[in-house]
Amino acid sequence: MTRKSEDVGRNTIRDVAARAGVSASTVSRVLGGVYPVSSATRARVTRAVRDLDYVADARAKAVAGVGTPTLAFVLEEITGPSFAHMAYGVEREATRLGHLCLVHGTEGDVRQELEFVEMMRAQRAAAVILVGGAADTAEYRERTRRIADSLASAGSRLVLCGRPSLGPGAPVTVIEYDNEGGAYALVAHVLAQGHRRILFLGGKPDHTTAQGRERGYLAAHSARGVEPDPALLLHGDFTRDSGHRLMRGALKQGLEFTAVIAATDMVASGALTALREGGLDVPGDVSLAGYDDIPFARDLYPALTTVHVPYEELGRLAVRTVLGRTPEAPDEHLLLGTHVVVRDSVAPPKER
Amino acid sequence: MTRKSEDVGRNTIRDVAARAGVSASTVSRVLGGVYPVSSATRARVTRAVRDLDYVADARAKAVAGVGTPTLAFVLEEITGPSFAHMAYGVEREATRLGHLCLVHGTEGDVRQELEFVEMMRAQRAAAVILVGGAADTAEYRERTRRIADSLASAGSRLVLCGRPSLGPGAPVTVIEYDNEGGAYALVAHVLAQGHRRILFLGGKPDHTTAQGRERGYLAAHSARGVEPDPALLLHGDFTRDSGHRLMRGALKQGLEFTAVIAATDMVASGALTALREGGLDVPGDVSLAGYDDIPFARDLYPALTTVHVPYEELGRLAVRTVLGRTPEAPDEHLLLGTHVVVRDSVAPPKER
DNA sequence: ACGCCGTCGGAAAACGGTTTCTCATCCCGG
DNA sequence: CCGGGATGAGAAACCGTTTTCCGACGGCGT
């Protein structure tokens, strides 16, 4: 049962051909499947292949124009739980469809992103999926537009996931979730409980994801006819530590509020700890809500009310959509829904 | 300042050569860097390259024997926080060293793992990093040994990360952390607080990571001269839900214990919620500890005492080590330390 | 007996690069 | 005026596949 491994080693199709006493073309044909080849020859070839433990070089196949192209997934932070779920969706769908999946973290650095995209162009990747917000400046649009064009010209397609879309006509696929809508619904829920002074622990001011959530916060207020106090609008980033720091600062500063909305569950998680350290009970003294619905949200104490974002589905959809398109297809836009998950961290404000 | 993009498109080195009025060899040399080429020619070529927005096909380069090989990272569950940190380490170190990084999730399925390894062999990947425990059966060893050999023969090297190592002589690099030692130290800590009946929420019985932690649990007991009650040794898996279910079962069943050790922080997280649902205070009524030190551990309430595992470093080391080796190098073994992180979830048992 | 067609397999050209060989200049000293 | 070493650049071979093109061979109908 054990394989004759006398002769293993990095070997080519010609080695197989030699061992089977046929030409390289024949080996290729046997392996390829369709071309008519006599069963005797076929047997000899498959035998040789097995003996040598031969696997065709995928890169050479790629050059010859066969073989499935790779696809690339680019995010800011691999360790973020929400990004991890997108990555999961992308990877699962990619392997389901038989594609390899490259991954790259940019650490929010534009230069790294650019460099990586260039490498993907060289790899002739099927698609490059860029995820996560960005500063939506004119410079961003121009730069990303150039990326999209150059990828398209190299035969790859750019996918923007939760990123600001470019002007119309760019060869780009955009997959988004209803970011602002989720925030709106969440804040509306908190307002409906009777809260009127809601602290917002936001992200970076020029980060589009942060901006969208902030817009939702504001829109929900004005829909309800309440004027939000600008002093309650804080900025940091999407990390746990930011939430902790911001919350601690707000407490020390003596800000008045009865509820806190964190821009992400991570932020909420840090804020929760800070509240606890400040001796405050959640939701008894102050209500708290997050965004993203990461798996841990329900194991926090109290279980965190938050907005569910279909991250995995977002990833799956990104690859499914892009693999159907020709690289030069015009821009298209998909929007997935979000919804509030009500748990235990939001309650009506205390009477005073 | 804008690029003349009249002529972009998937174009080859020959297109560039034609436009610059030189031969393909010359273009290659200009791009390659070292070969002497007159500055006039060089200028013309670089100009043409820029005009066409040309990038050499990385796959073709690979076939020709230049270009940096890819490396692959295989894990069970991409979304697991500890795995995510390893992935982060691997990816960071890979890009630092200029390598691309493929990622693949097996969902614990041996067939998927095998298929993927075969693809990596075809890709002529520099290394395949397999992470996460496995059932350490004879069949496992034989299979993995075969994988190692076949990868080595294709010029790739296998890295086992937190996985049972094979017999000596296998062409494998093994990077581990002190799994059992961490569990030992943690349980010793809990015993030192005075606990004598410690519930263990373990993983799958044949999973080596789970086994190691279980061994640590037992060893710490016997070092202290206490006989652990076998009824306190439960099995599940490494998920949050498993912890929740197991804990709920133990409570319902009326098991007696004053402390709980969970096989992972995720398990602890589920267990914590179950304890709370059961009206028990942690650590007032029962102490709780986890394993992995995921970032969330300190935002649980109470902050979770756990064992820190240097996951990111593990990943970085895996890459750094393997890229220095020739594929056929004999087996080598690295062991990283772990340590207990004392937080608030463990206290002395209640007087009774 | 002969032409034709279908089946099978080899030689050679592609794929997009790099690298080795080879050759034409140029510049210099003798 | 001529030999010779740099210097620069093209032609051709190569990397490992696939695919096109073509030839050989056997069977069949007329």
Side-chain angles (χ1 to χ4, degrees), chain B residues 84-116:
Chain B
H85 278 83
M86 283 208 47
Y88 177 73
V90 168
E91 191 274 333
R92 280 295 80 191
E93 198 67 17
T95 66
R96 201 177 69 80
L97 268 34
H99 294 258
L100 256 29
C101 181
L102 283 162
V103 67
H104 180 80
T106 64
E107 312 210 300
D109 181 358
V110 173
R111 228 198 49 243
Q112 280 197 49
E113 187 174 301
L114 251 40
E115 273 172 19
F116 184 75

Side-chain angles (χ1 to χ4, degrees), chain B residues 166-186:
Chain B
L166 316 174
V172 160
T173 298
V174 177
I175 316 250
E176 278 185 295
Y177 55 90
D178 186 5
N179 189 31
E180 180 173 340
Y184 181 98
L186 178 66

Side-chain angles (χ1 to χ4, degrees), chain B residues 44-61:
Chain B
R44 285 217 313 287
V45 170
T46 44
R47 181 64 209 271
V49 165
R50 207 165 346 112
D51 285 353
L52 295 180
D53 199 12
Y54 168 78
V55 195
D57 187 322
R59 302 153 331 170
K61 298 181 81 150

Side-chain angles (χ1 to χ4, degrees), chain B residues 52-256:
Chain B
L52 295 180
D53 199 12
Y54 168 78
V55 195
D57 187 322
R59 302 153 331 170
K61 298 181 81 150
V63 171
V66 278
T68 51
T70 302
L71 109 210
F73 184 65
V74 185
L75 32 60
E76 239 170 273
E77 249 305 321
I78 295 186
T79 56
S82 44
F83 285 163
H85 278 83
M86 283 208 47
Y88 177 73
V90 168
E91 191 274 333
R92 280 295 80 191
E93 198 67 17
T95 66
R96 201 177 69 80
L97 268 34
H99 294 258
L100 256 29
C101 181
L102 283 162
V103 67
H104 180 80
T106 64
E107 312 210 300
D109 181 358
V110 173
R111 228 198 49 243
Q112 280 197 49
E113 187 174 301
L114 251 40
E115 273 172 19
F116 184 75
V117 166
E118 201 61 10
M119 297 187 82
M120 288 309 94
R121 220 148 74 79
Q123 291 287 337
R124 307 303 193 249
V128 177
I129 304 178
L130 245 47
V131 352
D136 189 7
T137 60
E139 188 265 334
Y140 160 82
R141 280 177 189 249
E142 204 209 328
R143 166 166 50 83
T144 310
R145 174 71 196 241
R146 251 207 312 269
I147 289 180
D149 285 336
S150 80
L151 278 173
S153 82
S156 317
R157 185 163 177 92
L158 183 63
V159 182
L160 262 26
C161 235
R163 275 216 168 194
S165 61
L166 316 174
V172 160
T173 298
V174 177
I175 316 250
E176 278 185 295
Y177 55 90
D178 186 5
N179 189 31
E180 180 173 340
Y184 181 98
L186 178 66
V187 175
H189 167 69
V190 172
L191 285 166
Q193 300 286 312
H195 295 275
R196 284 301 172 267
R197 293 189 59 79
I198 307 178
L199 182 65
F200 185 77
L201 270 26
K204 298 187 185 122
D206 58 355
H207 195 273
T208 52
T209 306
Q211 287 171 344
R213 296 180 186 184
E214 194 171 315
R215 275 198 308 276
Y217 169 87
L218 295 173
H221 275 80
S222 71
R224 191 103 193 174
V226 351
E227 183 74 26
D229 181 350
L232 295 181
L233 235 159
L234 272 31
H235 293 282
D237 58 35
F238 281 176
T239 63
R240 180 258 173 213
D241 285 347
S242 168
H244 191 258
R245 187 169 11 88
L246 251 37
M247 193 69 241
R248 182 131 68 166
L251 254 27
K252 189 144 135 199
Q253 196 187 327
L255 273 181
E256 282 202 30

Side-chain angles (χ1 to χ4, degrees), chain B residues 23 26 29 35-38 41:
Chain B
S23 76
T26 303
R29 293 200 262 255
Y35 195 92
V37 51
S38 78
T41 320

Side-chain angles (χ1 to χ4, degrees), chain A residues 11-35 37 41-42 44-50 52 54-56 61:
Chain A
N11 39 32
T12 78
I13 199 172
R14 274 175 278 273
D15 300 328
V16 177
R19 182 176 247 263
V22 297
S23 77
S25 342
T26 303
V27 175
S28 175
R29 293 200 262 253
V30 168
L31 262 31
V34 284
Y35 197 91
V37 52
T41 321
R42 175 180 303 274
R44 285 218 313 288
V45 170
T46 44
R47 182 63 209 269
V49 165
R50 207 163 347 113
L52 295 180
Y54 168 79
V55 194
K61 298 181 82 149

